[in-house]
Amino acid sequence: MKAEHLLFRIAIATLLLCSLSLGGLDQSGNINAKNMTISDFSSLVPLSNVQDAFVDTGAPQAPSAGAGTEIAAYTEQAPPTTDLKKLMPSAVLTSPPRYMYYNGDYLAWNDFSTTFPSNNPGLWIERAVSWTFYATLPWGGWTRELIYVPQASPVTMYEIYPSGYVLGYNLGLVQPGYYYIWYYADAPGRHSSIFSTNSGYSNAVIIDVYSASNYIKPNPPTPKPSPKEECEKNPLCDWSNGQCYCRGLDPVDPEKQKCEANPLCDWINGQCLCRGLDPQPMPGPVPNPNPEPDPEPFNPAPNPVAECESNPGCQWAYGRCNCMGLGGGIDNSNDGWEGDLAATA
């Protein structure tokens, strides 16, 4: 055992002196780093010590050329720079996932926590509803790997690349617990990850990175500014209690702005009211309709009896108006009736 620990420490020292950077964990590349071949890696850390780590990963024999059904939970947006190149505390104990892969099967968290040996280091990759030992990932994508460290120990992560070289990444002295680290798919093909502690080696995680036909490897994406940074770009604004407060700025209502662009319209009480030919006239008193004129006074038909007797000296008799004297009475006699009466007399 002492000889194995000595070889292990020699391997770590060599990796640190070479300033190796794990490409999958650090998209900055391998500047001033030396790549180790499988043969070099085997001479420092015999593969017989880690061969058990590759049992029951659930990976197919041939690397996958597409997403398949085992695609990792990934994002194309780079995480914040402050979250890269280091382990971040994981919340799996307080907010456990639905399933954890172990011993060739997916176990509910309660079953997993009572089955997984607490003195073994563990490594998983994130899928939609579980943490597993195998996943596919598009070239240029970001995903997370989950690490369990059983006791305080120096931790070194190794990644075996498809072209047959190995990169190591020193994560420093790590306290016991669950952590996650961001993984970047920087090259197509099958990748293998494993890490070492004083308690031994973790299981291996297999990642098949596939490339789309129209994919062009981008430059390292720049994280978008946070809402706080966007707020503080404006000299009239301040960030306080998670909100952006601005001075002297009236929030622009597009409907109000559109209304006031029309010289015939005004914005009143949240409504656009327009004058003239606009279908929304300005408010105002509505004129009452003019009342209909009074009808003409009733004019009954002429009454010859009344007309006759209204004239002094006249009296209606025998169907005619008889007047005495020289008054200007109304003569309503029938033609020839008076002559006939005189002739009879």
PDB file of all heavy atoms in Angstrom, residues 146-163:
ATOM      1  N   LEU A 146     -20.947  15.917 -10.236  1.00  0.00           N
ATOM      2  CA  LEU A 146     -21.116  15.868  -8.787  1.00  0.00           C
ATOM      3  C   LEU A 146     -19.996  15.036  -8.175  1.00  0.00           C
ATOM      4  O   LEU A 146     -19.678  13.950  -8.666  1.00  0.00           O
ATOM      5  CB  LEU A 146     -22.476  15.273  -8.441  1.00  0.00           C
ATOM      6  CG  LEU A 146     -22.849  15.202  -6.957  1.00  0.00           C
ATOM      7  CD1 LEU A 146     -23.089  16.586  -6.393  1.00  0.00           C
ATOM      8  CD2 LEU A 146     -24.080  14.323  -6.768  1.00  0.00           C
ATOM      9  N   ILE A 147     -19.397  15.547  -7.111  1.00  0.00           N
ATOM     10  CA  ILE A 147     -18.266  14.885  -6.463  1.00  0.00           C
ATOM     11  C   ILE A 147     -18.607  14.659  -4.998  1.00  0.00           C
ATOM     12  O   ILE A 147     -19.093  15.572  -4.326  1.00  0.00           O
ATOM     13  CB  ILE A 147     -16.989  15.747  -6.584  1.00  0.00           C
ATOM     14  CG1 ILE A 147     -16.520  15.795  -8.033  1.00  0.00           C
ATOM     15  CG2 ILE A 147     -15.881  15.223  -5.685  1.00  0.00           C
ATOM     16  CD1 ILE A 147     -15.307  16.684  -8.244  1.00  0.00           C
ATOM     17  N   TYR A 148     -18.345  13.450  -4.532  1.00  0.00           N
ATOM     18  CA  TYR A 148     -18.470  13.152  -3.108  1.00  0.00           C
ATOM     19  C   TYR A 148     -17.094  12.808  -2.550  1.00  0.00           C
ATOM     20  O   TYR A 148     -16.416  11.887  -3.034  1.00  0.00           O
ATOM     21  CB  TYR A 148     -19.419  11.984  -2.849  1.00  0.00           C
ATOM     22  CG  TYR A 148     -19.430  11.537  -1.400  1.00  0.00           C
ATOM     23  CD1 TYR A 148     -19.947  12.359  -0.399  1.00  0.00           C
ATOM     24  CD2 TYR A 148     -18.885  10.302  -1.031  1.00  0.00           C
ATOM     25  CE1 TYR A 148     -19.935  11.960   0.935  1.00  0.00           C
ATOM     26  CE2 TYR A 148     -18.872   9.892   0.291  1.00  0.00           C
ATOM     27  CZ  TYR A 148     -19.402  10.732   1.277  1.00  0.00           C
ATOM     28  OH  TYR A 148     -19.375  10.347   2.593  1.00  0.00           O
ATOM     29  N   VAL A 149     -16.660  13.567  -1.545  1.00  0.00           N
ATOM     30  CA  VAL A 149     -15.369  13.352  -0.894  1.00  0.00           C
ATOM     31  C   VAL A 149     -15.659  12.817   0.504  1.00  0.00           C
ATOM     32  O   VAL A 149     -16.294  13.505   1.312  1.00  0.00           O
ATOM     33  CB  VAL A 149     -14.563  14.660  -0.828  1.00  0.00           C
ATOM     34  CG1 VAL A 149     -13.223  14.438  -0.121  1.00  0.00           C
ATOM     35  CG2 VAL A 149     -14.339  15.221  -2.233  1.00  0.00           C
ATOM     36  N   PRO A 150     -15.222  11.597   0.843  1.00  0.00           N
ATOM     37  CA  PRO A 150     -15.589  11.012   2.134  1.00  0.00           C
ATOM     38  C   PRO A 150     -14.831  11.592   3.319  1.00  0.00           C
ATOM     39  O   PRO A 150     -15.344  11.592   4.441  1.00  0.00           O
ATOM     40  CB  PRO A 150     -15.264   9.524   1.952  1.00  0.00           C
ATOM     41  CG  PRO A 150     -14.243   9.477   0.866  1.00  0.00           C
ATOM     42  CD  PRO A 150     -14.533  10.639  -0.030  1.00  0.00           C
ATOM     43  N   GLN A 151     -13.604  12.076   3.113  1.00  0.00           N
ATOM     44  CA  GLN A 151     -12.836  12.647   4.210  1.00  0.00           C
ATOM     45  C   GLN A 151     -11.927  13.739   3.655  1.00  0.00           C
ATOM     46  O   GLN A 151     -11.658  13.785   2.452  1.00  0.00           O
ATOM     47  CB  GLN A 151     -11.998  11.573   4.908  1.00  0.00           C
ATOM     48  CG  GLN A 151     -10.972  10.908   4.011  1.00  0.00           C
ATOM     49  CD  GLN A 151     -10.129   9.892   4.766  1.00  0.00           C
ATOM     50  OE1 GLN A 151     -10.053   9.925   5.979  1.00  0.00           O
ATOM     51  NE2 GLN A 151      -9.481   8.982   4.034  1.00  0.00           N
ATOM     52  N   ALA A 152     -11.481  14.640   4.530  1.00  0.00           N
ATOM     53  CA  ALA A 152     -10.601  15.719   4.100  1.00  0.00           C
ATOM     54  C   ALA A 152      -9.388  15.130   3.395  1.00  0.00           C
ATOM     55  O   ALA A 152      -8.705  14.253   3.931  1.00  0.00           O
ATOM     56  CB  ALA A 152     -10.181  16.559   5.299  1.00  0.00           C
ATOM     57  N   SER A 153      -9.143  15.606   2.160  1.00  0.00           N
ATOM     58  CA  SER A 153      -8.102  14.975   1.355  1.00  0.00           C
ATOM     59  C   SER A 153      -7.742  15.878   0.184  1.00  0.00           C
ATOM     60  O   SER A 153      -8.589  16.627  -0.321  1.00  0.00           O
ATOM     61  CB  SER A 153      -8.603  13.625   0.832  1.00  0.00           C
ATOM     62  OG  SER A 153      -7.732  13.095  -0.137  1.00  0.00           O
ATOM     63  N   PRO A 154      -6.478  15.814  -0.293  1.00  0.00           N
ATOM     64  CA  PRO A 154      -6.163  16.432  -1.593  1.00  0.00           C
ATOM     65  C   PRO A 154      -6.945  15.693  -2.686  1.00  0.00           C
ATOM     66  O   PRO A 154      -7.065  14.466  -2.653  1.00  0.00           O
ATOM     67  CB  PRO A 154      -4.660  16.227  -1.750  1.00  0.00           C
ATOM     68  CG  PRO A 154      -4.159  15.883  -0.390  1.00  0.00           C
ATOM     69  CD  PRO A 154      -5.292  15.204   0.325  1.00  0.00           C
ATOM     70  N   VAL A 155      -7.486  16.450  -3.630  1.00  0.00           N
ATOM     71  CA  VAL A 155      -8.296  15.864  -4.702  1.00  0.00           C
ATOM     72  C   VAL A 155      -7.688  16.272  -6.042  1.00  0.00           C
ATOM     73  O   VAL A 155      -7.399  17.439  -6.273  1.00  0.00           O
ATOM     74  CB  VAL A 155      -9.758  16.327  -4.619  1.00  0.00           C
ATOM     75  CG1 VAL A 155     -10.546  15.830  -5.834  1.00  0.00           C
ATOM     76  CG2 VAL A 155     -10.413  15.823  -3.338  1.00  0.00           C
ATOM     77  N   THR A 156      -7.485  15.283  -6.898  1.00  0.00           N
ATOM     78  CA  THR A 156      -7.006  15.530  -8.264  1.00  0.00           C
ATOM     79  C   THR A 156      -7.964  14.862  -9.241  1.00  0.00           C
ATOM     80  O   THR A 156      -8.279  13.673  -9.108  1.00  0.00           O
ATOM     81  CB  THR A 156      -5.592  14.966  -8.481  1.00  0.00           C
ATOM     82  OG1 THR A 156      -4.698  15.581  -7.553  1.00  0.00           O
ATOM     83  CG2 THR A 156      -5.119  15.251  -9.893  1.00  0.00           C
ATOM     84  N   MET A 157      -8.432  15.660 -10.179  1.00  0.00           N
ATOM     85  CA  MET A 157      -9.324  15.148 -11.210  1.00  0.00           C
ATOM     86  C   MET A 157      -8.507  14.829 -12.457  1.00  0.00           C
ATOM     87  O   MET A 157      -7.606  15.574 -12.835  1.00  0.00           O
ATOM     88  CB  MET A 157     -10.394  16.178 -11.554  1.00  0.00           C
ATOM     89  CG  MET A 157     -11.377  15.720 -12.616  1.00  0.00           C
ATOM     90  SD  MET A 157     -12.680  14.680 -11.960  1.00  0.00           S
ATOM     91  CE  MET A 157     -13.730  15.916 -11.219  1.00  0.00           C
ATOM     92  N   TYR A 158      -8.830  13.694 -13.102  1.00  0.00           N
ATOM     93  CA  TYR A 158      -8.175  13.297 -14.343  1.00  0.00           C
ATOM     94  C   TYR A 158      -9.231  13.186 -15.435  1.00  0.00           C
ATOM     95  O   TYR A 158     -10.349  12.730 -15.199  1.00  0.00           O
ATOM     96  CB  TYR A 158      -7.463  11.953 -14.190  1.00  0.00           C
ATOM     97  CG  TYR A 158      -6.395  11.930 -13.126  1.00  0.00           C
ATOM     98  CD1 TYR A 158      -6.681  11.452 -11.839  1.00  0.00           C
ATOM     99  CD2 TYR A 158      -5.120  12.377 -13.401  1.00  0.00           C
ATOM    100  CE1 TYR A 158      -5.705  11.416 -10.864  1.00  0.00           C
ATOM    101  CE2 TYR A 158      -4.130  12.350 -12.419  1.00  0.00           C
ATOM    102  CZ  TYR A 158      -4.434  11.876 -11.148  1.00  0.00           C
ATOM    103  OH  TYR A 158      -3.467  11.853 -10.176  1.00  0.00           O
ATOM    104  N   GLU A 159      -8.818  13.554 -16.648  1.00  0.00           N
ATOM    105  CA  GLU A 159      -9.694  13.366 -17.808  1.00  0.00           C
ATOM    106  C   GLU A 159      -8.894  12.715 -18.910  1.00  0.00           C
ATOM    107  O   GLU A 159      -7.849  13.232 -19.334  1.00  0.00           O
ATOM    108  CB  GLU A 159     -10.289  14.683 -18.296  1.00  0.00           C
ATOM    109  CG  GLU A 159     -11.213  14.474 -19.483  1.00  0.00           C
ATOM    110  CD  GLU A 159     -11.936  15.735 -19.923  1.00  0.00           C
ATOM    111  OE1 GLU A 159     -11.521  16.819 -19.496  1.00  0.00           O
ATOM    112  OE2 GLU A 159     -12.907  15.621 -20.696  1.00  0.00           O
ATOM    113  N   ILE A 160      -9.404  11.591 -19.410  1.00  0.00           N
ATOM    114  CA  ILE A 160      -8.800  10.878 -20.530  1.00  0.00           C
ATOM    115  C   ILE A 160      -9.531  11.317 -21.800  1.00  0.00           C
ATOM    116  O   ILE A 160     -10.747  11.140 -21.918  1.00  0.00           O
ATOM    117  CB  ILE A 160      -8.910   9.354 -20.346  1.00  0.00           C
ATOM    118  CG1 ILE A 160      -8.262   8.937 -19.024  1.00  0.00           C
ATOM    119  CG2 ILE A 160      -8.257   8.615 -21.514  1.00  0.00           C
ATOM    120  CD1 ILE A 160      -8.473   7.471 -18.670  1.00  0.00           C
ATOM    121  N   TYR A 161      -8.777  11.897 -22.737  1.00  0.00           N
ATOM    122  CA  TYR A 161      -9.360  12.453 -23.962  1.00  0.00           C
ATOM    123  C   TYR A 161      -9.479  11.386 -25.047  1.00  0.00           C
ATOM    124  O   TYR A 161      -8.792  10.352 -25.007  1.00  0.00           O
ATOM    125  CB  TYR A 161      -8.499  13.609 -24.456  1.00  0.00           C
ATOM    126  CG  TYR A 161      -8.911  14.941 -23.879  1.00  0.00           C
ATOM    127  CD1 TYR A 161      -8.659  15.246 -22.550  1.00  0.00           C
ATOM    128  CD2 TYR A 161      -9.566  15.887 -24.655  1.00  0.00           C
ATOM    129  CE1 TYR A 161      -9.030  16.455 -22.011  1.00  0.00           C
ATOM    130  CE2 TYR A 161      -9.950  17.103 -24.129  1.00  0.00           C
ATOM    131  CZ  TYR A 161      -9.688  17.386 -22.809  1.00  0.00           C
ATOM    132  OH  TYR A 161     -10.066  18.584 -22.278  1.00  0.00           O
ATOM    133  N   PRO A 162     -10.332  11.625 -26.056  1.00  0.00           N
ATOM    134  CA  PRO A 162     -10.509  10.640 -27.138  1.00  0.00           C
ATOM    135  C   PRO A 162      -9.218  10.358 -27.895  1.00  0.00           C
ATOM    136  O   PRO A 162      -9.016   9.234 -28.380  1.00  0.00           O
ATOM    137  CB  PRO A 162     -11.554  11.302 -28.054  1.00  0.00           C
ATOM    138  CG  PRO A 162     -12.248  12.310 -27.202  1.00  0.00           C
ATOM    139  CD  PRO A 162     -11.244  12.779 -26.205  1.00  0.00           C
ATOM    140  N   SER A 163      -8.332  11.333 -28.014  1.00  0.00           N
ATOM    141  CA  SER A 163      -7.109  11.145 -28.792  1.00  0.00           C
ATOM    142  C   SER A 163      -6.036  10.398 -28.019  1.00  0.00           C
ATOM    143  O   SER A 163      -4.959  10.137 -28.556  1.00  0.00           O
ATOM    144  CB  SER A 163      -6.564  12.506 -29.237  1.00  0.00           C
ATOM    145  OG  SER A 163      -6.344  13.343 -28.107  1.00  0.00           O
TER     146      SER A 163
END
